[in-house]
Amino acid sequence: MAKIEFLNLGKQPITNNFLNNPKPKKEFFYNLKVTFDEKSKIVSLSNFVQPEKMFNETYAHRASMSKTMLLSNYKLSNYIKKRFAPRSILEIGSNDGIFLKNFNNILSIGVEPCKNLALITDEMGIKTYSNFWDINLAKKIVNKYNAFEFIYSANTISHIHNLKETISAVEMSLSDNGIFVIEDPSLLEVLKKISYDQFYDEHAYVFSILGIFNLLSETELEIFDIQKTSTHGGSQRIYIKKKKNKINISQKVNNAIKSELDFGMSKYETYKKFAKKVESSKKKLINIFENLKKNKKKIIGYGATYKSATVLNYCGINTKYIDYFVDTTETKQGKYTPGTHIPIIKPSEALDSSVDYAFLGAWNFKKEIFSKEKKFIKRGGKFITHVPTPRII
Ligand code: DWN
């Protein structure tokens, strides 16, 4: 059985490479292709980009920039306290502390390779290791603090290339009754929503439950519960325990696997069909931009997300179509989007009366954005989205 390529999204930049200059002398590009492994059912990028090129001290994404994410992390932390009452927590990929800051009364340790982010949580008083997660780091941390009762990792395990080592490092860091929770975008949702922008340099994997189930089958870990969440356009929270821990396994696990099998996610043809839909999505989106530009409409981008780099570069949407992007993240403001070199500005200057349309780079925060931009909507301003199908709203 083999790994088979099913999607080619063309030349793509490093999504974190927000540029200081609209005409950079040098910019790194790679060919973004996506592969299905017929044996493990895992979907991954065909070629991984060197981690140090992506995750370093210039990392721009701050999870706390959205009210939706702040609330979601607050609610989750309360739920974890109630359901598991852990006395120690390790977070792999702690970003700016959006999750760990809710646990100030118990031992909380962060792991965050991006030094600028690790500094933020260190300053909050949360001991943070600014390293990549691997066996050596796990050994070091466990030697110092013992095994953890709760390990959490949101939007990070899908970013780490060596899955087997990642899981072994978790196995050695988790106490026998410990709980490991991972949260990442759901592959089923990507296939349903044609949200092909979940594929980019950092997303080495987009996980199915099936893939994680197969990955864990050779380890001492197993899935015992699953929650679907609406964050990041449709994610899944997978609850994992050691096999020797006798917590009941929820029926939701079998149900989720059945839904994926019913959707055809164990078959290559399903992914090939998805690739055809991606091509058609590209044509439709370009058409929308072309028509609006013919009619001299002013279009801006809303949310200079990492995801949007895939759409913009794949569809060739650049300054010919979009005047600028607006983004609340200070470290992105004053810079230019990777590959397409569109200026990024701060919200106070963005949606003036000259703007007719805003392309939703942050389509996953549509609700939050719509409620914030009532004035723009009231005066006839419209949004463009490519999910689930390119259209004007
Ligand atoms: O996995 C990853 C996710 C969790 O975060 C990383 N690999 C990188 C990053 O991906 P992203 O950029 O696609 O994530 P978001 O959370 O969809 O980014 C939203 C962006 O939109 C932020 O830059 C903030 C911005 N934003 C805004 O300008 N106004 C967001 C909201 C809600 C707003 O009102």
Side-chain angles (χ1 to χ4, degrees):
M1 299 261 211
K3 289 188 179 183
I4 326 177
E5 220 156 77
F6 62 91
L7 182 64
N8 185 346
L9 293 164
K11 290 255 170 298
Q12 294 283 345
I14 299 291
T15 51
N16 184 52
N17 196 13
F18 295 95
L19 304 159
N20 291 317
N21 184 332
K23 286 185 184 146
K25 281 202 186 103
K26 245 191 184 176
E27 194 177 2
F28 176 85
F29 285 90
Y30 69 100
N31 199 333
L32 175 57
K33 293 182 183 171
V34 191
T35 291
F36 171 63
D37 185 331
E38 284 200 305
K39 185 164 180 255
S40 68
K41 313 298 178 197
I42 287 177
V43 164
S44 65
L45 301 193
S46 305
N47 297 300
F48 295 145
V49 173
Q50 206 191 337
E52 292 78 7
K53 273 196 156 67
M54 305 181 281
F55 309 110
N56 49 46
E57 67 289 347
T58 68
Y59 200 71
H61 177 71
R62 294 275 315 266
S64 300
M65 283 300 113
S66 138
K67 281 189 190 149
T68 312
M69 292 314 294
L70 283 168
L71 186 65
S72 153
N73 277 270
Y74 174 71
K75 279 189 183 160
L76 174 64
S77 57
N78 283 343
Y79 177 80
I80 298 301
K81 284 176 202 168
K82 248 192 175 163
R83 181 166 176 189
F84 302 111
R87 285 168 299 179
S88 58
I89 298 194
L90 173 71
E91 186 179 8
I92 306 168
S94 44
N95 196 274
D96 59 4
I98 189 167
F99 178 70
L100 282 184
K101 71 179 175 193
N102 299 303
F103 294 91
N104 44 18
N105 294 327
I106 59 171
L107 173 70
S108 306
I109 303 295
V111 171
E112 176 49 69
C114 305
K115 285 206 168 54
N116 58 326
L117 298 174
L119 202 65
I120 299 174
T121 40
D122 257 339
E123 279 171 2
M124 286 175 180
I126 300 165
K127 167 71 189 157
T128 307
Y129 288 81
S130 190
N131 300 90
F132 288 100
W133 176 250
D134 61 14
I135 291 275
N136 287 335
L137 180 66
K139 276 185 193 156
K140 188 171 156 186
I141 295 179
V142 172
N143 272 342
K144 180 141 191 209
Y145 300 101
N146 292 326
F148 288 80
E149 293 190 351
F150 193 80
I151 302 182
Y152 180 61
S153 189
N155 301 300
T156 300
I157 301 299
S158 58
H159 296 50
I160 309 178
H161 300 168
N162 189 338
L163 275 183
K164 288 216 162 119
E165 176 172 353
T166 300
I167 296 301
S168 301
V170 168
E171 276 178 312
M172 76 163 60
S173 311
L174 194 65
S175 68
D176 283 352
N177 289 320
I179 306 296
F180 172 41
V181 174
I182 65 171
E183 183 171 334
D184 290 282
S186 145
L187 182 59
L188 179 60
E189 290 301 313
V190 169
L191 298 181
K192 282 183 177 168
K193 296 193 172 107
I194 325 296
S195 46
Y196 62 90
D197 52 352
Q198 291 289 9
F199 295 112
Y200 54 90
D201 55 348
E202 296 185 3
H203 283 183
Y205 302 93
V206 177
F207 290 132
S208 57
I209 305 289
L210 203 55
I212 297 290
F213 184 88
N214 290 339
L215 173 74
L216 297 183
S217 65
E218 291 163 15
T219 72
E220 55 172 303
L221 301 175
E222 64 185 351
I223 305 175
F224 70 95
D225 202 359
I226 289 167
Q227 283 165 352
K228 290 181 177 225
T229 75
S230 59
T231 49
H232 292 295
S235 295
Q236 56 210 3
R237 207 170 272 151
I238 306 179
Y239 289 75
I240 296 165
K241 65 174 186 68
K242 289 201 169 161
K243 285 177 183 154
K244 60 176 116 164
N245 178 350
K246 294 298 170 207
I247 299 178
N248 280 345
I249 296 183
S250 162
Q251 187 54 38
K252 285 186 195 162
V253 181
N254 273 339
N255 293 349
I257 292 177
K258 185 172 180 309
S259 302
E260 292 188 351
L261 290 173
D262 289 348
F263 196 86
M265 284 171 68
S266 62
K267 296 185 203 126
Y268 172 70
E269 298 81 70
T270 304
Y271 299 93
K272 212 52 222 167
K273 274 190 205 151
F274 167 76
K276 284 256 168 300
K277 289 183 188 166
V278 172
E279 279 173 33
S280 137
S281 171
K282 172 182 181 173
K283 284 184 193 141
K284 283 185 191 150
L285 187 65
I286 295 173
N287 244 327
I288 291 176
F289 275 96
E290 287 283 351
N291 283 334
L292 293 177
K293 277 329 244 185
K294 257 188 224 152
N295 291 311
K296 306 251 176 301
K297 299 296 181 194
K298 177 168 173 179
I299 312 172
I300 67 149
Y302 203 112
T305 56
Y306 291 54
K307 290 184 289 294
S308 63
T310 295
V311 183
L312 301 176
N313 285 282
Y314 174 59
C315 299
I317 295 167
N318 50 28
T319 47
K320 190 176 146 198
Y321 302 97
I322 293 185
D323 287 34
Y324 53 81
F325 260 87
V326 52
D327 200 289
T328 47
T329 314
E330 278 174 23
T331 46
K332 293 182 187 175
Q333 294 162 2
K335 301 210 170 169
Y336 299 84
T337 57
T340 47
H341 310 167
I342 304 170
I344 305 169
I345 67 166
K346 51 180 141 183
S348 57
E349 302 161 3
L351 283 173
D352 65 28
S353 58
S354 65
V355 178
D356 302 301
Y357 291 84
F359 169 67
L360 279 172
W363 57 268
N364 44 314
F365 293 119
K366 193 168 82 180
K367 252 192 184 163
E368 183 175 337
I369 293 169
F370 283 15
S371 82
K372 204 190 278 185
E373 301 302 347
K374 286 196 185 103
K375 237 168 111 186
F376 172 68
I377 297 170
K378 211 170 163 198
R379 71 158 173 80
K382 298 234 173 337
F383 287 92
I384 305 168
T385 188
H386 69 289
V387 178
T389 181
R391 67 193 200 285
I392 291 170
I393 6 177

